[in-house]
Amino acid sequence: MVTALNERTFVLSEIESEINANVDLYFFGDGVDDRDKFLRDIYTEKFPDKCFVIHYDVDQETFAINAGPEGKLKSDFNVFLRDILVKDMSVFLDVTSIPVPLMFYMLQEIQKHNKLSNVFCAYTKPELYHKNKGVSERDRYELNEGFLGIKPIPGFLRSDKNNRDRLLVVFLGYEGNRARYIYEEESASTIVPVIGLPGFRPGWNDTAFEMNLELIGETSAMDYVEYIAADSPFEAYELLSEIRAQNPAKYLVLAPLGTKPSALGIALFSIISEADCAIIYDNPKEKKNKTVGVTSTLIYDVSSFFC
Amino acid sequence: MSEYWNPFDAYRPELTEDPILDYFVAPDFLPDLIGSRKSIVIVGGRGTGKTTLLRYLSYESQKIVCSNLEGNYLSQMKSIGVYWRANTNYVTAFQGSQLDDAEWSKAFAHYINIVICKKMCEIVLDIGLHYSFHYEEEICQAMGKVFYDSSIRSFRGLIEFLSDKQLEIEKYVNNIGRVNEPIWSIPERAHSTFSHELVKEPALENKWFFFLIDEYENLAEYQQRVINTYIKHAEVPYSFKICRRVYGDKTNQTLSDSEFLSETDDWSTLDLNTELRPKFADFVKNVCRKRLEKHPVLSERGLTNIDYFLPGLSIKEECARIEKAKSGFIPYRGRLEAIIFNETGLSQGLKDQILSDVLGCSDPLLRRLFLCLIERRGNKVVDVYQEYLNYVSGKPSKFKEGQWIHNNELGVLFLLASEYSVQKLYCGFDVFILLSAGNIRDFLDLCSATFRFAMREGYELGDAQPIPFDVQNIAARHIAQKHLIEIAKNQPYGEILRDFTLALGGIFEYFHRDTKQSEPEKNQFTVDATGLTSQTREILYKAVMADILLEFRGTKYKSKSELKISDFMLHPIFSPYFRISYTKGRKLSLAPGQLELLIKGSKVEKDGVIRSVTKGESRAPSKVEQTTLFDFIDGGDSIE
């Protein structure tokens, strides 16, 4: 059993042997970018019987395991988990390749199941993002082919029992129009923009800021901008805890538009805080090969949230 | 430098801290809207003030308004507005393949019963802070019957109960197939019962309840049927006021397959575009004044007229400015000479005289218009010249009385800008009014960007200086680009609509730049929509609904089924991007097949249509082209 790793971040090489020795089940998405394939290729070859590659259809809210038959997420996924999860198991989720809605849903469902020994999440950083040439500054990082539009992440329809003023916390990414869309849909009285600093690479945080500068200015939110490490779910979690503590009279509405690790932090916070916040998400249709290459893989031990 | 303060930032009514009353400007039709007990459907584009109106009618706002009147606020309040917004993040949860529409209808109607009654309960509890209720227990028992619970005895207990019911239905929707179905309340019973019971209270006697439903267009078809049923069955003491976009109605059917809403019997329409447009400029000035008055220096100096800050240029002034930039150079001189000298039946002496007079004319607009007119088929040089002579000597002339100048001056300005490679400026209050086309949010957006860009250049609001033309122009272009980028959010057709807009804009841009055109300024298209496929018609509705196109037709808009032969204009807010006219210009006639390809065709097919309508001289831009915040001079030379 892997011990004393709670709420800590590792480079894969530091913990690889322990992961290999102790993890019982591995979950991957079926993304096609280099970074999506990176761990999946390694582990499906090394431990084929322990690996589950999940295809998720955001529109239909259906899933399929290892290219098997489709099931309905809300009614069938828990049956799948119930059949494979056993008390004291250690599980590993590659959040790089798992779409954001599925990641939220899986983590919530895992939390409902038997007490586990360890829950690890992995994130592989890309070498670079594709950049569109000849388009406007704000349109430069068009990482998605479009959007299904705003609809709640499965399992996360929530409302505020106390009808408080809403505080929108937007974890900003490179696509400025996404944050604006969310802002226009959400009737929040205050907006807190969150930027990854440092970004995965020098200068990337500036890009997130630049892409959303206009919205930040228009909403007079410059004074409320918060910075967290782009690759740290724990900093995202801590930040949200602080925002919650400082704003007890407001209902938090969280928009996970930034990096996957920050989305992981939001998922952890929203699952632990049991419905006292809402999630708003625009369900992008991700472009294939929107990123190129891999740099490093981080492993987050999030066991303390689940075990 | 003073503190950054842009009076036009954070203008959205949903998001302003002191939202409605601080900035509310009463439109002329407000008394009718408040006074009418009939259900009303308020139709308007994005940013036309629908939400502001509904929020103003809500109990929360009216309480403040009526508190400022004599007597107690409740006695002054004729109606109690219960506001509910169809929040996309909630209403889309009640959709999906897990249930069929009939099952979803029950769940959604139950949800609506809960949220509306909860809202009513909050209002009642607030009223209870000032007045005592005589029949609280009786009312709550009646509501308990609606929700099949006999234990509710107080409004506070009712709101707790409803909160639990809300959690219950959320749990059900989150876990469909895994948890038991709640006991559904009967559609419309809840708000109907609550309204009838509440008016038994002396404090609420003779009060009327308005259920204010915002963003109706966000509802799925079956959800609209639920709300339609409520409208259909509205009775004393309540009715509905619904806000929706043009083409935001997916059905007029109720939950009964044989029952339909009828405008005559069930509701009346308030079209904000029609109501606001005639006095839009005055309305805008009042809205802006409320914002500018917040600045102490401007308020003290009485500089709260937005038109003072947004000076513009007349067309004549701008033509002169363009020509001045390239002094002594007349790019069309050769064409003018050729046409005059090739005209038959004129003596050489007269030809020389005409050329000399026209080239010697000090008004560049008149000079260039002369060329347009003699290039136009059917016009003889000598006739145009005679009209010219009449005009310059102050006699009646087709140039003035015949409206030649009036009808062509803006087009000539675009031609001159193109021929001189100087950018046409989009500036001035009147131009911003035209760019925003009756959309208050667009106007405020233009103001916000203008002040923001000016402040980046060191402009201080407290100095109360007019904002330079070129800064306004950059802001207008920036907003146009922003709108273009944001088209993509109109799912599921976002990308199709953006590419269509780019193609259409490219065509109109060509017509404005084509110096060979004798009739410039084409910026509309007409099409026989009956020849379009249903999907293309649907996308066209979406384009109108999303304020990408303005639609003009003979009869007042009523429903989608009436869409036949229509004229469409690219929304003027895009004109600074494509450098085209912002007023209704001439029409391009498109065959249904051409429009099909412009909307749904491949890049090659789009280019084919564009080549055919522009005679092979233009292609569609495939991307929103790059401009930066400091891109002052794109598309032409910068001049002061």
Side-chain angles (χ1 to χ4, degrees):
Chain A
M1 182 184 288
V2 182
T3 55
L5 298 176
N6 289 350
E7 285 188 43
R8 291 173 65 186
T9 305
F10 300 87
V11 176
L12 179 62
S13 56
E14 294 172 344
I15 192 173
E16 193 170 7
S17 57
E18 290 181 74
I19 293 277
N20 294 348
N22 293 289
V23 167
D24 301 292
L25 302 171
Y26 297 84
F27 297 98
F28 302 94
D30 63 349
V32 298
D33 283 14
D34 294 341
R35 59 177 182 160
D36 295 325
K37 291 185 272 191
F38 179 64
L39 289 181
R40 190 172 69 215
D41 288 351
I42 294 171
Y43 284 99
T44 51
E45 188 179 334
K46 200 180 283 184
F47 306 115
D49 297 337
K50 293 181 178 181
C51 290
F52 297 92
V53 179
I54 307 169
H55 167 76
Y56 177 60
D57 184 325
V58 182
D59 196 16
Q60 297 298 315
E61 294 184 0
T62 55
F63 71 100
I65 307 291
N66 295 338
E70 271 191 358
K72 290 182 175 173
L73 190 73
K74 286 177 182 170
S75 53
D76 301 335
F77 196 78
N78 73 315
V79 178
F80 158 68
L81 284 183
R82 188 186 61 206
D83 290 346
I84 60 168
L85 285 183
V86 178
K87 192 170 184 293
D88 293 332
M89 268 187 167
S90 290
V91 300
F92 180 101
L93 280 74
D94 180 16
V95 299
T96 324
S97 57
I98 297 174
V100 166
L102 182 61
M103 177 182 79
F104 272 72
Y105 192 79
M106 284 184 74
L107 290 169
Q108 182 164 267
E109 288 302 308
I110 285 172
Q111 197 221 13
K112 290 177 187 171
H113 277 268
N114 288 323
K115 192 172 171 65
L116 302 174
S117 283
N118 293 101
V119 179
F120 299 105
C121 291
Y123 180 71
T124 302
K125 297 179 184 181
E127 178 75 33
L128 53 89
Y129 285 92
H130 269 302
K131 185 173 167 180
N132 295 324
K133 289 177 183 170
V135 298
S136 76
E137 286 296 299
R138 295 190 329 154
D139 219 10
R140 197 156 22 119
Y141 290 93
E142 201 176 54
L143 304 176
N144 300 295
E145 288 176 343
F147 300 87
L148 287 173
I150 289 173
K151 68 175 204 174
I153 288 175
F156 284 80
L157 174 68
R158 294 166 171 185
S159 57
D160 179 22
K161 190 179 173 185
N162 300 313
N163 205 19
R164 289 165 284 183
D165 277 350
R166 298 161 81 86
L167 190 156
L168 175 64
V169 186
V170 187
F171 288 73
L172 297 174
Y174 292 171
E175 293 165 298
N177 55 336
R178 290 185 67 190
R180 178 174 292 282
Y181 180 30
I182 296 284
Y183 162 75
E184 289 189 352
E185 284 293 326
E186 180 51 49
S187 55
S189 59
T190 319
I191 177 170
V192 175
V194 183
I195 290 172
L197 179 73
F200 293 149
R201 301 187 66 177
W204 285 11
N205 50 291
D206 294 338
T207 304
F209 192 83
E210 187 187 342
M211 293 298 108
N212 294 281
L213 182 62
E214 187 172 330
L215 178 66
I216 292 170
E218 273 176 27
T219 54
S220 307
M222 198 67 82
D223 293 341
Y224 303 114
V225 175
E226 296 283 355
Y227 297 92
I228 57 164
D231 61 4
S232 173
F234 305 119
E235 285 197 23
Y237 183 92
E238 286 301 320
L239 173 67
L240 291 172
S241 302
E242 281 172 26
I243 292 173
R244 155 77 56 73
Q246 289 162 6
N247 298 276
K250 298 214 170 181
Y251 185 61
L252 303 192
V253 181
L254 315 176
L257 311 184
T259 62
K260 197 62 86 60
S262 68
L264 173 60
I266 297 169
L268 296 173
F269 178 81
S270 59
I271 291 165
I272 300 304
S273 65
E274 289 178 356
D276 198 29
C277 64
I279 308 295
I280 184 165
Y281 194 59
D282 54 357
N283 297 289
K285 293 180 267 186
E286 287 191 12
K287 272 184 183 166
K288 289 184 170 60
N289 296 310
K290 72 179 185 181
T291 61
V292 178
V294 298
T295 52
S296 60
T297 295
L298 295 177
I299 307 293
Y300 309 111
D301 182 353
V302 296
S303 305
S304 63
F305 295 96
F306 296 93
C307 305
Chain B
M1 182 176 288
S2 65
E3 184 188 356
Y4 174 86
W5 186 67
N6 185 337
F8 297 97
D9 275 351
Y11 55 80
R12 283 174 53 83
E14 300 94 323
L15 306 174
T16 311
E17 204 57 65
D18 190 8
I20 304 304
L21 301 174
D22 249 15
Y23 295 132
F24 187 75
V25 173
D28 291 347
F29 56 79
L30 186 67
D32 294 339
L33 185 64
I34 294 177
S36 172
R37 291 186 163 183
K38 193 175 180 185
S39 290
I40 294 179
V41 176
I42 303 165
V43 180
R46 179 196 68 89
T48 47
K50 301 186 298 297
T51 295
T52 304
L53 267 178
L54 282 199
R55 285 282 175 92
Y56 182 78
L57 296 179
S58 71
Y59 167 81
E60 291 80 359
S61 292
Q62 286 301 307
K63 182 183 173 187
I64 298 169
V65 171
C66 293
S67 296
N68 294 328
L69 303 174
E70 281 184 21
N72 67 65
Y73 81 91
L74 199 58
S75 65
Q76 297 290 340
M77 202 183 271
K78 300 285 180 291
S79 55
I80 292 175
V82 183
Y83 178 87
W84 179 72
R85 173 174 165 252
N87 185 328
T88 315
N89 206 29
Y90 290 90
V91 296
T92 51
F94 291 83
Q95 297 170 38
S97 58
Q98 301 94 338
L99 297 178
D100 61 26
D101 277 0
E103 290 299 312
W104 274 128
S105 278
K106 292 177 195 167
F108 181 71
H110 181 62
Y111 170 73
I112 291 289
N113 279 347
I114 292 167
V115 293
I116 288 189
C117 286
K118 200 174 155 195
K119 189 75 196 168
M120 290 175 82
C121 225
E122 286 165 7
I123 291 170
V124 168
L125 285 172
D126 187 72
I127 292 171
L129 297 175
H130 311 280
Y131 302 91
S132 55
F133 290 109
H134 296 74
Y135 307 110
E136 182 170 355
E137 189 169 337
E138 190 182 322
I139 295 169
C140 291
Q141 282 182 334
M143 292 308 294
K145 285 179 187 167
V146 171
F147 290 101
Y148 310 108
D149 189 298
S150 58
S151 66
I152 308 165
R153 293 284 183 275
S154 67
F155 292 132
R156 200 155 290 285
L158 178 58
I159 205 166
E160 285 296 321
F161 171 83
L162 291 169
S163 295
D164 290 343
K165 283 282 165 192
Q166 191 169 354
L167 290 178
E168 181 189 48
I169 194 168
E170 285 171 7
K171 185 178 177 188
Y172 172 72
V173 171
N174 282 331
N175 299 280
I176 281 183
R178 292 166 60 186
V179 298
N180 291 333
E181 191 179 278
I183 297 170
W184 304 129
S185 52
I186 298 171
E188 73 186 314
R189 179 75 61 80
H191 65 268
S192 171
T193 302
F194 212 172
S195 305
H196 282 110
E197 291 295 321
L198 282 173
V199 293
K200 291 176 184 170
E201 285 287 352
L204 297 172
E205 200 178 359
N206 298 323
K207 294 287 185 255
W208 192 266
F209 287 90
F210 285 141
F211 294 104
L212 311 166
I213 311 285
D214 201 3
E215 300 188 16
Y216 174 86
E217 68 276 5
N218 289 345
L219 299 172
E221 183 173 333
Y222 88 82
Q223 294 170 343
Q224 291 193 351
R225 287 181 68 175
V226 171
I227 300 297
N228 291 351
T229 308
Y230 296 1
I231 296 171
K232 185 81 183 172
H233 299 164
E235 57 187 11
V236 178
Y238 67 88
S239 57
F240 289 79
K241 301 211 187 292
I242 309 278
C243 276
R244 67 162 167 82
R245 290 195 187 186
V246 177
Y247 293 138
D249 51 334
K250 298 180 175 85
T251 178
N252 63 351
Q253 204 168 21
T254 69
L255 287 172
S256 163
D257 287 342
S258 59
E259 190 178 58
F260 296 86
L261 283 183
S262 136
E263 177 155 10
T264 317
D265 302 331
D266 305 316
W267 93 97
S268 55
T269 302
L270 179 75
D271 184 337
L272 288 182
N273 289 330
T274 310
E275 295 290 337
L276 286 175
R277 193 68 65 86
K279 294 182 179 174
F280 184 60
D282 291 338
F283 182 69
V284 162
K285 283 181 187 175
N286 288 333
V287 169
C288 294
R289 183 174 296 115
K290 291 231 173 191
R291 288 164 181 269
L292 293 166
E293 277 172 351
K294 300 275 181 201
H295 194 282
V297 175
L298 302 185
S299 180
E300 188 184 319
R301 294 174 60 187
L303 291 172
T304 54
N305 290 327
I306 187 62
D307 46 354
Y308 166 79
F309 292 93
L310 301 175
L313 288 161
S314 69
I315 291 172
K316 199 168 177 176
E317 286 169 337
E318 191 162 8
C319 288
R321 165 192 160 275
I322 288 169
E323 196 175 80
K324 194 177 161 192
K326 303 272 174 76
S327 55
F329 173 63
I330 298 179
Y332 53 86
R333 181 184 183 128
R335 280 166 59 204
L336 187 67
E337 285 174 348
I339 292 173
I340 293 172
F341 288 140
N342 289 335
E343 183 84 347
T344 53
L346 298 182
S347 68
Q348 188 58 42
L350 183 55
K351 288 176 181 175
D352 290 340
Q353 182 64 45
I354 294 171
L355 186 63
S356 168
D357 282 357
V358 174
L359 289 176
C361 173
S362 60
D363 182 347
L365 168 65
L366 204 55
R367 200 187 308 130
R368 184 60 182 84
L369 176 58
F370 189 94
L371 174 58
C372 279
L373 292 168
I374 62 173
E375 282 185 322
R376 204 168 287 175
R377 193 176 297 165
N379 283 347
K380 290 183 175 173
V381 171
V382 70
D383 294 340
V384 176
Y385 179 58
Q386 187 55 54
E387 295 294 337
Y388 169 79
L389 290 178
N390 291 344
Y391 176 73
V392 295
S393 59
K395 294 177 186 167
S397 158
K398 286 184 179 175
F399 273 90
K400 189 176 179 188
E401 285 76 10
Q403 306 250 312
W404 276 353
I405 293 177
H406 180 265
N407 291 342
N408 295 284
E409 59 183 354
L410 193 55
V412 169
L413 171 58
F414 278 97
L415 285 182
L416 282 174
S418 175
E419 287 169 342
Y420 281 87
S421 295
V422 170
Q423 196 178 137
K424 153 88 183 81
L425 295 181
Y426 294 80
C427 61
F429 175 79
D430 293 338
V431 171
F432 277 18
I433 286 288
L434 291 167
L435 291 180
S436 42
N439 187 312
I440 185 68
R441 190 179 295 168
D442 281 350
F443 187 89
L444 294 172
D445 223 358
L446 286 163
C447 290
S448 175
T450 299
F451 277 89
R452 191 168 354 111
F453 281 112
M455 286 169 181
R456 282 182 196 168
E457 294 296 298
Y459 178 87
E460 302 248 358
L461 190 59
D463 293 343
Q465 291 300 312
I467 296 179
F469 307 134
D470 58 345
V471 175
Q472 295 180 53
N473 180 54
I474 295 157
R477 186 161 161 74
H478 180 71
I479 293 300
Q481 188 192 54
K482 181 177 120 179
H483 276 64
L484 260 178
I485 291 168
E486 288 172 4
I487 288 173
K489 77 182 180 190
N490 293 290
Q491 294 306 321
Y493 300 122
E495 290 71 33
I496 290 175
L497 287 170
R498 185 177 58 184
D499 291 348
F500 170 56
T501 309
L502 286 169
L504 204 56
I507 291 172
F508 293 144
E509 185 178 19
Y510 159 79
F511 286 122
H512 282 68
R513 281 193 310 192
D514 180 13
T515 55
K516 294 193 297 302
Q517 295 279 322
S518 62
E519 292 190 353
E521 214 200 321
K522 208 175 265 183
N523 65 354
Q524 291 185 78
F525 70 90
T526 185
V527 68
D528 179 358
T530 55
L532 299 172
T533 61
S534 58
Q535 193 194 23
T536 301
R537 284 163 65 96
E538 188 62 36
I539 296 170
L540 211 51
Y541 304 144
K542 188 81 177 173
V544 176
M545 188 173 156
D547 290 320
I548 295 165
L549 296 177
L550 298 181
E551 186 188 5
F552 303 100
R553 46 182 157 165
T555 54
K556 191 179 159 189
Y557 160 82
K558 281 181 186 166
S559 71
K560 287 177 191 177
S561 59
E562 291 182 3
L563 182 59
K564 289 179 183 163
I565 296 177
S566 285
D567 298 338
F568 297 92
M569 178 182 172
L570 196 57
H571 195 291
I573 199 73
F574 297 112
S575 16
Y577 183 85
F578 295 111
R579 300 184 195 96
I580 60 177
S581 172
Y582 35 78
T583 62
K584 269 175 84 173
R586 293 180 176 83
K587 287 179 219 166
L588 168 70
S589 184
L590 287 174
Q594 288 178 312
L595 188 61
E596 290 276 348
L597 293 177
L598 279 181
I599 290 178
K600 292 190 304 186
S602 65
K603 174 85 173 71
V604 173
E605 288 169 328
K606 279 188 174 70
D607 280 341
V609 174
I610 293 167
R611 273 197 301 275
S612 75
V613 297
T614 63
K615 298 176 179 60
E617 298 199 21
S618 188
R619 297 175 64 195
S622 58
K623 286 283 184 187
V624 183
E625 63 181 62
Q626 181 166 351
T627 59
T628 71
L629 302 183
F630 307 101
D631 191 4
F632 281 41
I633 54 169
D634 58 307
D637 296 345
S638 174
I639 54 172
E640 291 300 320

